[in-house]
Amino acid sequence: MQRTWILGLAAVTLLAACDDDPTGTEGDSMTRVEAQAVASNVFAVGEAATTEGITEVTETGEGSGTIHFTQTSSHPCPQGGSVQVSLNIDVDYDEPAQAFELDATGALTHDGCAVAGDDAVITFDGDPNLQVGVYAAAEGGVATTPWTNSVEGAFTWAADDGREGRCVVDLFSSTDFVDRERTLSGEVCGHTIQQTVTWQ
């Protein structure tokens, strides 16, 4: 199965933006920039793991059919540590029609995962993990419905300046390739996220 068309469609960049009103966290507060860095890392890892899984399985597929597979992988974090990814992925595909429908669910478990914040490095660990869900569909090489990505769960975190706490994550993104619009909403570490991005 030619995988380039499916991977090209699956390569969606997810962006996060937060306000400056941290509420509902346990322990110390995380800044807007730190929460944004965490959100970006969470989505980037989930997307990379899903794309790698599709690549691995569709290299030898031909024609049309259904593939179910479980993927377990580990990904490094920008400043050290790692994220363990466990995904269950179902793909219905039709190569001649350049069509597919993908459903994926799973978990991201952070282990000493470190990202750069304002003036500190934030390290976080799963409490116990973040549950993720991804849905995407296309026909004729074109997306037929908005692609969605959700992340929900919690982790504990500590900054190298002495702050620490527990962070709740509840994010949902929807990318509409027809209207060329991506929306992201939810909460990360007490910061409300609401963003709409459009492109030409």
Side-chain angles (χ1 to χ4, degrees), residues 37 100 175:
F100 75 91
T175 303

Side-chain angles (χ1 to χ4, degrees), residues 18-25 29-30 32 187-192:
C18 311
D19 69 17
D20 292 312
D21 182 25
T23 59
T25 59
S29 295
M30 193 177 285
R32 173 187 182 275
E187 177 183 330
V188 176
C189 307
H191 292 268
T192 300

